[in-house]
Amino acid sequence: MRSDADKDRHFMALALAQAERAARKGEVPVGAVIIENGEVLSRGHNATIAACDPTAHAEVVALRKACRKRGNHRLPDCELYTTLEPCALCLGAIVQARVKRLVYGARDPKAGAVISVMRFPFRKLNHRPEVRSGVLAEECGALLKDFFKARRKHHSSFNTERWPSG
């Protein structure tokens, strides 16, 4: 039998695979999986660009798929694994879906709503999932850093070639 830490690393690795799919498509590399009774219920990765939808974050994509599969907007027996600390939009959706447990990898100092920019749990909410952070944080963070580093390099070389200075 696997320990909780091993289980969390296993499912976060699946979320990382989703993040890598997002990166290959030119989307910000964030991935999510929803687990029910130890089995994958749904997977999602960022698709905001492809879908022309600012709400198509990995967590929301995975929640939509899981809710459709269950035929219910509530997922009280589920765990959501995501590679990046959820933003306010995603955390709101997680709370609305009544997800039992949230596990995330890297902190998001610019938009994280769990501990970075905002502080969860908000006292007056009627549902508060259990939260675990930092699972495979280095791997999750490295994927994001590499993606944005390559993007800056591409855009800076594109811009200097396209627009002459002076």
Side-chain angles (χ1 to χ4, degrees):
M1 188 154 103
R2 283 194 286 205
S3 71
D4 286 343
D6 288 341
K7 177 190 83 156
D8 286 349
R9 284 190 295 274
H10 170 75
F11 289 127
M12 187 60 71
L14 298 179
L16 259 170
Q18 288 297 305
E20 290 166 353
R21 286 186 69 191
R24 287 191 299 272
K25 295 177 180 183
E27 301 276 358
V28 174
V30 178
V33 294
I34 296 180
I35 307 305
E36 182 178 48
N37 300 320
E39 300 292 325
V40 175
L41 177 60
S42 69
R43 303 167 196 261
H45 57 76
N46 272 1
T48 59
I49 297 167
C52 297
D53 179 355
T55 70
H57 292 195
E59 300 90 337
V60 173
V61 170
L63 284 166
R64 286 175 180 155
K65 289 177 181 178
C67 289
R68 278 194 298 270
K69 271 187 168 179
R70 287 290 156 253
N72 193 336
H73 67 293
R74 303 282 195 231
L75 302 168
D77 297 322
C78 294
E79 300 172 284
L80 189 149
Y81 289 78
T82 182
T83 57
L84 185 64
E85 177 185 358
C87 68
L89 167 83
C90 295
L91 188 56
I94 290 164
V95 168
Q96 288 299 315
R98 306 294 193 266
V99 170
K100 176 174 66 175
R101 186 166 180 255
L102 165 66
V103 180
Y104 69 89
R107 287 182 64 177
D108 185 353
K110 294 183 179 179
V114 179
I115 59 172
S116 296
V117 175
M118 301 172 78
R119 293 261 179 207
F120 182 81
F122 310 115
R123 289 189 342 234
K124 294 187 179 191
L125 292 179
N126 59 352
H127 176 73
R128 293 181 198 106
E130 176 188 333
V131 176
R132 179 166 184 226
S133 63
V135 176
L136 300 184
E138 286 184 31
E139 295 89 335
C140 295
L143 183 60
L144 285 156
K145 287 176 188 168
D146 292 347
F147 175 82
F148 285 112
K149 182 178 179 181
R151 197 167 191 173
R152 281 190 301 274
K153 182 178 178 183
H154 172 74
H155 285 299
S156 67
S157 65
F158 172 78
N159 289 335
T160 56
E161 293 170 13
R162 176 106 166 99
W163 304 105
S165 60

